[in-house]
Amino acid sequence: MLAAFDWHILWDRIFRPDSAFASALFATIYIAVISQVLGVILGLLAALMRMSRLRVLQLLSGLYVWVFRGTPVIVQIFFVYLGVNLLFGVTLIPNSLNLGAFTLGGAAFAGILALGFNEGAYMREIIRAGIDSVDKGQLEAARSLGMRHGLAMRRIVLPQAARVIVPPLGNEFNNMLKTTSLLFFIGVMELWGNAEIGYSETFKPVEYFAAVALWYLLLTTIWTVIQSWIERRLAVSERDDSEVTLGERLRSAFSPAYRGRA
Amino acid sequence: MTELIVHAVDVEKRFGRLEVLKGVSLDVAKRETICIIGPSGSGKTTFIRCVNHLEKIDGGRIEVNGQLIGYRERNGKLVEDGERSIAKQRTQIGMVFQRFNLFPHKTALENVVEAPVHVLGVPKQQAADEAQELLRRVGLLGKRDTYPGKLSGGQQQRVAIARALAMKPALMLFDEPTSALDPEVIGEVLEVMEELAHEGMTMIVVTHEMGFARVAADRVVMMDDGRIIEEGTPEQLFDAPEHARTKQFLSKIL
């Protein structure tokens, strides 16, 4: 069976990537990063709206989460890419976006928006749980020192909430790295798209798909190590004690509690 | 006439249907230390939380330093103030909490420096110098770079006092500052508070520490069921209480 396996292709896909592959890898990374950042910003906004005293803002936040968590992300991707301009009658999703040295394709732009908005709905709950985890006395102490709500949030509550937010946020980003593959369906050339095209040209599914799986595995593994390092840093600043060894870091990196999501 | 720092008139507070304060009036003169005693649920904590508007009041009025707290007068009616001016009023009222509420992500020094720098706009170096002086006064200069999690309860409460003093308040409120402490560290906190009282800080202290009230208080106020039922010098109140409820309360805790 393994006789049919062309090791040569796998080897090349991993160790001698061509330029098309390199740009696909780059696309996966920047799309995941920007989408996640967008998701965190939207999630924070939605969380603050949810906790606002204004009923309208609470309702808007609820509506947002209801829609984006209640529909498949692939539908959202297609809807943003193909539907938004028609729906609003203006060009919100351009054919391409010129950012100086870098041109972002319209599909990638739409994909980032869709993934970011989808992610924001999940991040809202994570951020809200983080804020809720901070003792109410903290806000009272801040207010009694003359801080206004915004300042108290920024200086006192959110930094403490971060400790609770970061672990699930890291897991969200792990998911995001993989979910970017859906953008190939609207024509974004990212890792999965690159593999799919390679396969369709050669009809070697095992080699191409094994190679791309290994690349995703590499990305998520690197991220897991970075994530556990960040978590250790956050914990250390409060515990005020010695360095954590690399061994401990790696061991904990491979044993986080993953939260699966389809 | 002595200058009044706190002028509270007929303060009422309800939590839903529960009347917690049923018309509390209290004047506190400058440099005076008032201890509020009374059984739990009598409204003492709620009252001092009203003084810096951590709780809204439902009736009456509270003035601190001649300024109406939390409300402004409009056509003879009280309207709640905006966040900005409430925050500004709080800068002159220091508060020390039962559970310290230090900022756990900041060192002792950072806790003290935080509000002067970010609320009052004091230059960082100046704020740090003043904070170190305050930490020295509460005997914790050596712990300046330690996080609250590594401090004992007594040490945390002393940092919390320094943090409140850093705003140079006209009034300090203490909400049962030693109730959450182990018996062996209560003394170190009371000592700091006693010193403050002797230096002439204006203070309202909700406490069960009768020994402290005896040596530090100018007046002791007994609250029961949302009202002040008796007040006087510590000697009057502790040695010759008039009200039956006070006698009963004192006999239980002394």
Side-chain angles (χ1 to χ4, degrees):
Chain A
M1 201 170 68
L2 275 183
F5 192 86
D6 196 339
W7 288 100
H8 177 71
I9 294 177
L10 185 64
W11 183 266
D12 277 1
R13 297 287 298 166
I14 292 170
F15 295 105
R16 301 225 304 260
D18 54 17
S19 69
F21 177 87
S23 73
L25 176 65
F26 178 58
T28 289
I29 294 169
Y30 80 75
I31 288 169
V33 170
I34 300 173
S35 302
Q36 189 66 46
V37 170
L38 181 62
V40 170
I41 293 169
L42 290 170
L44 180 60
L45 279 177
L48 293 175
M49 281 164 68
R50 176 68 187 72
M51 295 185 300
S52 145
R53 270 178 299 180
L54 292 177
R55 193 98 184 94
V56 194
L57 295 183
Q58 292 177 16
L59 284 174
L60 266 177
S61 175
L63 185 70
Y64 166 55
V65 171
W66 180 57
V67 169
F68 277 87
R69 284 209 314 192
T71 55
V73 66
I74 189 75
V75 175
Q76 294 164 20
I77 291 167
F78 272 88
F79 192 88
V80 171
Y81 183 47
L82 300 170
V84 159
N85 286 350
L86 293 171
L87 180 69
F88 291 102
V90 282
T91 308
L92 292 170
I93 309 295
N95 285 330
S96 75
L97 206 64
N98 205 334
L99 307 166
F102 184 74
T103 305
L104 187 64
F109 179 64
I112 287 170
L113 280 185
L115 291 178
F117 269 87
N118 180 264
E119 182 58 27
Y122 289 88
M123 282 310 301
R124 183 195 83 161
E125 289 311 292
I126 291 171
I127 290 171
R128 192 155 74 98
I131 291 173
D132 278 348
S133 77
V134 178
D135 183 54
K136 296 288 166 283
Q138 291 291 307
L139 199 56
E140 289 202 335
R143 284 164 68 204
S144 78
L145 288 165
M147 290 193 194
R148 296 174 63 187
H149 190 78
L151 183 67
M153 269 294 177
R154 194 157 49 81
R155 301 271 325 162
I156 305 302
V157 176
L158 287 178
Q160 294 181 59
R163 231 178 300 277
V164 177
I165 292 169
V166 163
L169 166 61
N171 294 343
E172 286 296 306
F173 184 63
N174 180 304
N175 271 326
M176 182 63 85
L177 280 167
K178 296 170 293 185
T179 311
T180 51
S181 57
L182 293 178
L183 296 194
F184 175 56
F185 292 105
I186 57 169
V188 178
M189 262 316 141
E190 42 61 69
L191 270 183
W192 161 246
N194 181 273
E196 221 279 336
I197 285 174
Y199 148 73
S200 65
E201 283 167 354
T202 58
F203 293 102
K204 296 268 187 193
V206 180
E207 291 80 352
Y208 276 90
F209 298 156
V212 77
L214 282 171
W215 274 105
Y216 279 115
L217 202 52
L218 180 66
L219 287 180
T220 53
T221 303
I222 291 172
W223 170 246
T224 306
V225 174
I226 295 173
Q227 180 189 351
S228 96
W229 178 77
I230 294 172
E231 283 171 27
R232 290 301 174 110
R233 279 293 301 272
L234 277 172
V236 165
S237 77
E238 186 165 310
R239 279 184 329 193
D240 171 34
D241 54 27
S242 57
E243 267 298 298
V244 182
T245 65
L246 182 67
E248 281 180 297
R249 200 168 285 162
L250 287 173
R251 237 172 297 137
S252 78
F254 289 101
S255 58
Y258 275 103
R259 207 167 48 91
R261 187 169 99 212
Chain B
M1 195 188 129
T2 47
E3 193 183 336
L4 278 189
I5 295 291
V6 179
H7 179 52
V9 186
D10 285 333
V11 176
E12 289 170 23
K13 172 71 190 174
R14 282 182 291 275
F15 289 120
R17 284 202 166 154
L18 186 68
E19 277 186 273
V20 191
L21 299 177
K22 302 171 178 170
V24 174
S25 298
L26 181 70
D27 284 352
V28 183
K30 194 168 184 173
R31 304 175 71 85
E32 211 179 5
T33 295
I34 306 284
C35 282
I36 303 182
I37 62 169
S40 55
S42 59
K44 12 184 232 312
T45 289
T46 305
F47 175 69
I48 66 164
R49 286 170 60 85
C50 289
V51 173
N52 73 349
H53 203 64
L54 280 180
E55 303 287 355
K56 291 179 195 180
I57 59 177
D58 297 309
R61 57 192 289 149
I62 300 175
E63 285 171 21
V64 173
N65 247 348
Q67 253 192 323
L68 195 57
I69 292 296
Y71 297 85
R72 63 179 75 219
E73 242 160 348
R74 198 174 289 160
N75 306 327
K77 271 188 173 175
L78 294 190
V79 186
E80 193 174 16
D81 238 340
E83 197 203 357
R84 181 190 294 264
S85 68
I86 293 173
K88 191 151 180 250
Q89 292 173 339
R90 288 196 184 114
T91 59
Q92 50 170 340
I93 307 173
M95 182 141 189
V96 174
F97 298 87
Q98 185 177 358
R99 311 207 58 86
F100 335 128
N101 296 349
L102 287 181
F103 306 134
H105 58 306
K106 295 180 182 293
T107 63
L109 187 75
E110 288 166 351
N111 263 276
V112 181
V113 161
E114 180 67 23
V117 170
H118 293 279
V119 176
L120 300 180
V122 176
K124 276 193 181 139
Q125 189 54 52
Q126 185 192 334
D129 291 345
E130 290 173 2
Q132 300 207 45
E133 173 54 25
L134 285 168
L135 286 176
R136 193 192 57 73
R137 265 173 72 188
V138 300
L140 288 172
L141 188 53
K143 300 284 187 187
R144 44 166 276 181
D145 297 321
T146 308
Y147 286 89
K150 292 262 163 154
L151 296 173
S152 73
Q155 290 171 333
Q156 289 190 56
Q157 194 60 299
R158 285 186 281 154
V159 173
I161 293 172
R163 177 177 71 176
L165 289 175
M167 298 296 281
K168 303 193 172 84
L171 168 71
M172 285 283 285
L173 306 172
F174 292 84
D175 179 16
E176 304 199 24
T178 56
S179 313
L181 294 176
D182 291 333
E184 70 268 22
V185 299
I186 288 176
E188 65 192 49
V189 173
L190 292 179
E191 220 170 275
V192 169
M193 290 168 57
E194 229 180 282
E195 207 172 299
L196 259 182
H198 288 307
E199 285 167 11
M201 174 59 76
T202 311
M203 305 171 29
I204 303 181
V205 184
V206 171
T207 187
H208 295 296
E209 295 295 328
M210 299 305 149
F212 169 79
R214 227 175 234 285
V215 295
D218 298 297
R219 266 190 298 151
V220 179
V221 169
M222 166 77 191
M223 279 186 75
D224 186 40
D225 193 28
R227 290 192 179 89
I228 292 179
I229 58 168
E230 187 168 358
E231 60 175 287
T233 64
E235 292 74 30
Q236 285 170 342
L237 210 97
F238 292 141
D239 302 336
E242 286 176 0
H243 208 285
R245 195 73 187 85
T246 314
K247 285 178 197 163
Q248 188 194 354
F249 175 70
L250 290 173
S251 73
K252 267 189 208 151
I253 60 164
L254 284 178

Coordinates of all heavy atoms in Angstrom, one line a residue, chain A residues 53 135 137-138 140-151 155-157 159-160 163 236-241, chain B residues 49 52-54 83-84 87 90-91 93 95 97 101-106 114-115 118-119 146-147 150 163-164 167:
Chain A
R53 N -25.8 50.0 30.4 CA -27.1 50.2 31.0 C -28.2 50.5 30.0 O -29.3 50.4 30.2 CB -27.1 51.4 32.0 CG -26.7 50.9 33.4 CD -26.6 52.1 34.4 NE -25.6 53.1 33.9 CZ -25.3 54.2 34.6 NH1 -26.0 54.5 35.6 NH2 -24.3 55.0 34.2
D135 N -13.4 40.3 40.9 CA -14.1 40.6 42.1 C -14.7 42.0 42.0 O -14.1 42.9 41.5 CB -13.2 40.5 43.3 CG -13.9 40.8 44.6 OD1 -14.9 40.1 44.8 OD2 -13.5 41.7 45.3
G137 N -15.4 44.0 44.2 CA -14.7 45.0 45.0 C -13.6 45.7 44.3 O -13.3 46.9 44.7
Q138 N -13.1 45.2 43.2 CA -12.0 45.9 42.4 C -12.6 47.1 41.8 O -12.0 48.2 41.8 CB -11.5 44.9 41.4 CG -10.7 43.8 41.9 CD -9.4 44.2 42.5 OE1 -8.6 44.9 41.9 NE2 -9.2 43.9 43.8
E140 N -15.2 48.7 42.8 CA -15.6 49.7 43.9 C -14.4 50.4 44.4 O -14.4 51.6 44.6 CB -16.3 48.9 45.0 CG -17.6 48.4 44.7 CD -18.5 48.2 45.9 OE1 -17.9 47.9 47.0 OE2 -19.7 48.2 45.8
A141 N -13.3 49.7 44.5 CA -12.1 50.3 45.0 C -11.6 51.4 44.0 O -11.2 52.5 44.4 CB -11.0 49.3 45.2
A142 N -11.7 51.0 42.7 CA -11.3 51.9 41.7 C -12.2 53.2 41.7 O -11.7 54.3 41.6 CB -11.3 51.3 40.3
R143 N -13.5 53.0 41.8 CA -14.4 54.1 41.8 C -14.2 54.9 43.1 O -14.2 56.2 43.0 CB -15.8 53.6 41.8 CG -16.2 53.1 40.4 CD -17.5 52.3 40.4 NE -18.6 53.0 40.8 CZ -19.7 52.5 41.3 NH1 -19.8 51.2 41.6 NH2 -20.8 53.2 41.6
S144 N -13.9 54.3 44.2 CA -13.7 55.1 45.4 C -12.5 55.9 45.4 O -12.3 56.9 46.1 CB -13.7 54.2 46.7 OG -12.4 53.5 46.8
L145 N -11.5 55.6 44.4 CA -10.3 56.4 44.3 C -10.6 57.5 43.2 O -9.6 58.2 42.8 CB -9.2 55.5 43.8 CG -8.6 54.6 44.9 CD1 -7.7 53.5 44.3 CD2 -7.8 55.4 45.9
G146 N -11.8 57.6 42.8 CA -12.1 58.7 41.8 C -12.0 58.3 40.4 O -12.0 59.2 39.5
M147 N -11.8 57.0 40.1 CA -11.7 56.6 38.7 C -13.1 56.6 38.0 O -14.1 56.1 38.7 CB -11.1 55.2 38.6 CG -9.7 55.2 38.9 SD -9.0 53.6 38.4 CE -7.4 53.7 39.3
R148 N -13.2 57.0 36.8 CA -14.4 56.9 36.1 C -14.5 55.5 35.5 O -13.5 54.8 35.4 CB -14.5 57.9 35.0 CG -14.5 59.3 35.6 CD -14.5 60.4 34.6 NE -15.6 60.3 33.7 CZ -15.7 61.1 32.6 NH1 -14.8 61.9 32.2 NH2 -16.8 61.0 31.8
H149 N -15.7 55.1 35.1 CA -15.9 53.7 34.7 C -14.9 53.2 33.6 O -14.3 52.1 33.7 CB -17.3 53.5 34.1 CG -17.7 52.1 33.9 ND1 -18.0 51.2 35.0 CD2 -17.7 51.3 32.8 CE1 -18.3 50.0 34.5 NE2 -18.1 50.1 33.2
G150 N -14.7 54.0 32.6 CA -13.8 53.6 31.5 C -12.4 53.4 32.0 O -11.7 52.4 31.6
L151 N -11.9 54.3 32.8 CA -10.5 54.2 33.3 C -10.4 53.0 34.2 O -9.4 52.2 34.1 CB -10.2 55.5 34.1 CG -8.7 55.6 34.6 CD1 -7.7 55.7 33.5 CD2 -8.6 56.8 35.6
R155 N -7.7 50.1 33.4 CA -6.5 50.0 34.2 C -6.6 48.9 35.3 O -5.6 48.3 35.7 CB -6.3 51.3 35.0 CG -6.1 52.5 34.1 CD -4.6 52.7 33.7 NE -3.7 52.4 34.8 CZ -2.4 52.2 34.5 NH1 -1.9 52.3 33.3 NH2 -1.5 51.9 35.5
I156 N -7.9 48.6 35.7 CA -8.0 47.7 36.8 C -8.7 46.4 36.4 O -8.2 45.3 36.7 CB -8.8 48.4 38.0 CG1 -8.2 49.7 38.4 CG2 -9.0 47.4 39.2 CD1 -6.7 49.6 38.8
V157 N -9.9 46.5 35.8 CA -10.7 45.3 35.5 C -10.1 44.4 34.4 O -9.9 43.2 34.5 CB -12.2 45.6 35.3 CG1 -13.0 44.4 35.0 CG2 -12.7 46.3 36.6
P159 N -7.2 44.2 32.8 CA -5.9 43.5 33.0 C -6.1 42.2 33.8 O -5.4 41.2 33.6 CB -5.0 44.5 33.7 CG -5.6 45.8 33.4 CD -7.0 45.7 33.2
Q160 N -7.0 42.3 34.8 CA -7.2 41.1 35.6 C -8.1 40.1 34.8 O -7.9 38.9 35.0 CB -7.9 41.5 36.9 CG -7.0 42.3 37.8 CD -7.7 42.7 39.1 OE1 -8.1 41.8 39.9 NE2 -7.9 43.9 39.4
R163 N -6.2 37.5 32.4 CA -5.7 36.2 32.8 C -6.7 35.1 32.6 O -6.4 34.0 32.3 CB -5.5 36.3 34.3 CG -4.1 35.8 34.7 CD -3.9 36.0 36.2 NE -4.1 37.4 36.6 CZ -3.1 38.3 36.5 NH1 -1.9 38.0 36.1 NH2 -3.3 39.6 36.8
V236 N 3.0 34.6 36.1 CA 4.2 35.0 36.8 C 4.1 36.4 37.4 O 4.5 36.7 38.5 CB 5.5 34.8 36.0 CG1 6.7 35.5 36.6 CG2 5.8 33.3 35.8
S237 N 3.6 37.3 36.6 CA 3.5 38.7 37.0 C 2.7 38.9 38.3 O 3.0 39.8 39.1 CB 2.9 39.6 35.9 OG 1.5 39.4 35.9
E238 N 1.8 37.9 38.5 CA 1.1 38.0 39.8 C 1.7 37.3 40.9 O 1.8 37.7 42.0 CB -0.4 37.5 39.6 CG -1.2 37.7 40.8 CD -2.7 37.6 40.5 OE1 -3.2 38.2 39.5 OE2 -3.3 36.8 41.2
R239 N 2.3 36.1 40.5 CA 2.9 35.3 41.6 C 4.2 35.8 42.1 O 4.7 35.5 43.1 CB 3.0 33.9 41.1 CG 1.7 33.1 41.2 CD 2.0 31.7 40.8 NE 3.1 31.7 39.8 CZ 3.4 30.7 39.0 NH1 2.8 29.6 39.1 NH2 4.4 30.8 38.1
D240 N 4.9 36.6 41.2 CA 6.0 37.2 41.6 C 7.1 36.2 42.0 O 7.8 36.4 43.0 CB 5.6 38.2 42.8 CG 6.8 38.8 43.5 OD1 7.8 39.1 42.9 OD2 6.6 39.0 44.7
D241 N 7.2 35.1 41.3 CA 8.3 34.2 41.6 C 9.1 33.8 40.4 O 9.0 34.3 39.3 CB 7.9 33.1 42.5 CG 6.7 32.3 41.8 OD1 6.6 32.3 40.6 OD2 6.0 31.7 42.6
Chain B
R49 N -21.1 53.9 52.8 CA -21.1 53.7 51.4 C -21.9 54.8 50.7 O -21.6 55.2 49.5 CB -21.6 52.3 51.0 CG -20.6 51.2 51.3 CD -21.2 49.9 51.1 NE -21.6 49.6 49.8 CZ -20.8 49.2 48.8 NH1 -19.6 48.9 49.0 NH2 -21.3 49.0 47.6
N52 N -19.8 58.3 50.1 CA -19.0 58.5 48.9 C -19.8 58.0 47.6 O -19.2 57.8 46.6 CB -17.6 57.9 48.9 CG -17.6 56.4 48.8 OD1 -18.6 55.8 48.9 ND2 -16.4 55.9 48.6
H53 N -21.1 57.9 47.8 CA -22.0 57.6 46.7 C -21.7 56.2 46.0 O -22.0 56.1 44.8 CB -22.0 58.7 45.7 CG -23.2 58.8 44.8 ND1 -24.5 59.0 45.4 CD2 -23.5 58.6 43.5 CE1 -25.4 59.0 44.4 NE2 -24.8 58.7 43.3
L54 N -21.2 55.3 46.8 CA -21.1 53.9 46.2 C -22.5 53.4 46.2 O -22.9 52.4 45.5 CB -20.2 53.0 47.0 CG -18.7 53.2 46.7 CD1 -17.8 52.3 47.6 CD2 -18.4 53.0 45.3
E83 N -21.4 61.1 36.0 CA -20.3 60.3 36.4 C -19.0 61.1 36.7 O -18.3 60.9 37.7 CB -20.0 59.2 35.4 CG -19.2 58.0 35.9 CD -18.4 57.3 34.8 OE1 -18.6 57.7 33.6 OE2 -17.7 56.4 35.2
R84 N -18.8 62.0 35.9 CA -17.6 62.8 36.0 C -17.5 63.6 37.3 O -16.5 63.5 38.0 CB -17.5 63.8 34.8 CG -16.2 64.7 34.8 CD -16.3 65.8 33.8 NE -16.4 65.2 32.4 CZ -15.3 65.1 31.6 NH1 -14.1 65.5 32.1 NH2 -15.4 64.6 30.4
A87 N -17.2 61.2 40.3 CA -15.8 60.7 40.4 C -14.9 61.8 41.0 O -14.0 61.5 41.9 CB -15.3 60.3 39.0
R90 N -15.3 61.9 44.7 CA -14.8 60.8 45.4 C -13.3 61.0 45.7 O -12.7 60.3 46.5 CB -15.0 59.5 44.6 CG -16.4 59.0 44.7 CD -16.5 57.6 44.3 NE -17.9 57.2 44.2 CZ -18.5 56.8 43.1 NH1 -17.9 56.9 41.9 NH2 -19.8 56.4 43.1
T91 N -12.6 61.8 44.8 CA -11.2 62.0 45.0 C -10.8 62.5 46.4 O -9.7 62.4 46.9 CB -10.6 62.9 43.9 OG1 -11.2 64.1 44.0 CG2 -10.7 62.3 42.5
I93 N -12.5 61.8 49.1 CA -13.0 60.9 50.2 C -12.3 59.5 50.0 O -12.5 58.8 49.1 CB -14.5 60.6 50.0 CG1 -15.3 62.0 50.0 CG2 -15.0 59.8 51.2 CD1 -16.7 61.8 49.6
M95 N -11.5 55.6 51.0 CA -12.2 54.5 51.5 C -11.4 53.3 51.7 O -10.6 52.9 50.8 CB -13.4 54.2 50.7 CG -14.3 53.1 51.2 SD -16.1 53.5 51.0 CE -16.8 52.2 51.9
F97 N -11.7 49.3 52.7 CA -12.7 48.2 52.6 C -12.4 47.1 53.6 O -11.2 46.8 53.9 CB -12.9 47.7 51.2 CG -13.3 48.7 50.2 CD1 -12.4 49.4 49.5 CD2 -14.6 48.8 49.9 CE1 -12.8 50.4 48.6 CE2 -15.1 49.8 49.0 CZ -14.1 50.5 48.3
N101 N -9.4 45.0 48.9 CA -9.6 45.3 47.5 C -8.4 45.9 46.9 O -8.5 46.8 46.1 CB -10.8 46.2 47.3 CG -12.1 45.5 47.7 OD1 -12.1 44.3 47.9 ND2 -13.2 46.3 47.8
L102 N -7.2 45.5 47.3 CA -6.0 45.9 46.6 C -6.0 45.4 45.2 O -6.7 44.4 44.9 CB -4.7 45.4 47.3 CG -4.4 46.1 48.6 CD1 -3.1 45.5 49.2 CD2 -4.2 47.6 48.4
F103 N -5.3 46.0 44.3 CA -5.3 45.6 42.9 C -4.2 44.5 42.8 O -3.0 44.7 42.9 CB -5.0 46.7 41.9 CG -5.9 47.9 42.1 CD1 -5.4 49.2 42.2 CD2 -7.3 47.7 42.2 CE1 -6.3 50.3 42.3 CE2 -8.1 48.8 42.3 CZ -7.6 50.1 42.4
P104 N -4.6 43.2 42.6 CA -3.7 42.1 42.7 C -2.6 42.1 41.6 O -1.6 41.5 41.8 CB -4.6 40.9 42.6 CG -5.8 41.4 41.8 CD -6.0 42.8 42.2
H105 N -2.9 42.8 40.5 CA -1.9 42.8 39.4 C -0.9 43.9 39.5 O -0.1 44.1 38.6 CB -2.6 42.8 38.0 CG -3.5 44.1 37.9 ND1 -4.5 44.4 38.8 CD2 -3.5 45.0 36.9 CE1 -5.1 45.5 38.4 NE2 -4.5 45.9 37.2
K106 N -0.9 44.6 40.6 CA 0.0 45.7 40.8 C 0.7 45.5 42.2 O 0.1 45.0 43.1 CB -0.7 47.0 40.8 CG -1.4 47.3 39.5 CD -2.1 48.6 39.4 CE -2.7 48.9 38.1 NZ -1.8 49.0 37.0
E114 N -1.2 54.4 41.6 CA -2.2 54.3 40.5 C -3.1 55.5 40.4 O -3.2 56.2 39.4 CB -3.0 53.1 40.7 CG -4.1 52.8 39.7 CD -3.6 52.5 38.3 OE1 -2.4 52.1 38.2 OE2 -4.3 52.8 37.3
A115 N -3.9 55.8 41.5 CA -4.9 56.9 41.4 C -4.3 58.3 41.3 O -4.7 59.1 40.5 CB -5.9 56.8 42.5
H118 N -3.1 58.5 37.6 CA -4.1 58.4 36.5 C -5.4 59.2 36.7 O -6.2 59.3 35.8 CB -4.4 56.9 36.2 CG -3.2 56.2 35.7 ND1 -2.9 56.3 34.3 CD2 -2.3 55.5 36.2 CE1 -1.8 55.6 34.1 NE2 -1.4 55.1 35.3
V119 N -5.7 59.6 38.0 CA -6.9 60.4 38.2 C -6.5 61.8 38.4 O -7.1 62.7 37.8 CB -7.6 59.8 39.5 CG1 -8.8 60.7 39.8 CG2 -8.1 58.4 39.2
T146 N 6.3 44.2 46.3 CA 5.7 42.9 46.5 C 4.2 43.0 46.0 O 3.6 44.1 46.2 CB 5.7 42.6 48.0 OG1 7.0 42.7 48.5 CG2 5.1 41.2 48.3
Y147 N 3.7 41.9 45.5 CA 2.3 41.9 45.0 C 1.4 41.5 46.2 O 1.9 40.8 47.1 CB 2.2 40.9 43.9 CG 2.7 41.3 42.6 CD1 4.0 41.1 42.2 CD2 1.9 42.1 41.7 CE1 4.6 41.5 41.0 CE2 2.5 42.5 40.5 CZ 3.8 42.2 40.2 OH 4.3 42.7 39.0
K150 N 1.3 38.2 48.1 CA 2.4 37.8 48.9 C 2.4 38.5 50.3 O 3.3 38.3 51.0 CB 3.7 38.0 48.2 CG 3.9 37.1 47.0 CD 4.7 35.9 47.4 CE 4.6 34.8 46.4 NZ 5.7 34.0 46.3
R163 N -2.9 53.6 50.1 CA -3.5 53.9 48.8 C -4.6 55.0 48.8 O -4.6 55.9 48.0 CB -4.1 52.6 48.2 CG -4.8 52.8 46.8 CD -5.3 51.5 46.3 NE -6.4 51.0 47.0 CZ -7.1 49.9 46.6 NH1 -6.7 49.2 45.6 NH2 -8.2 49.5 47.3
A164 N -5.4 54.9 49.9 CA -6.5 55.9 50.0 C -5.9 57.3 50.4 O -6.3 58.3 49.9 CB -7.5 55.4 51.1
M167 N -4.4 60.0 47.8 CA -5.2 61.0 47.2 C -5.4 62.3 48.0 O -6.1 63.2 47.7 CB -6.6 60.4 46.9 CG -6.6 59.2 46.0 SD -6.0 59.7 44.3 CE -7.5 60.4 43.6

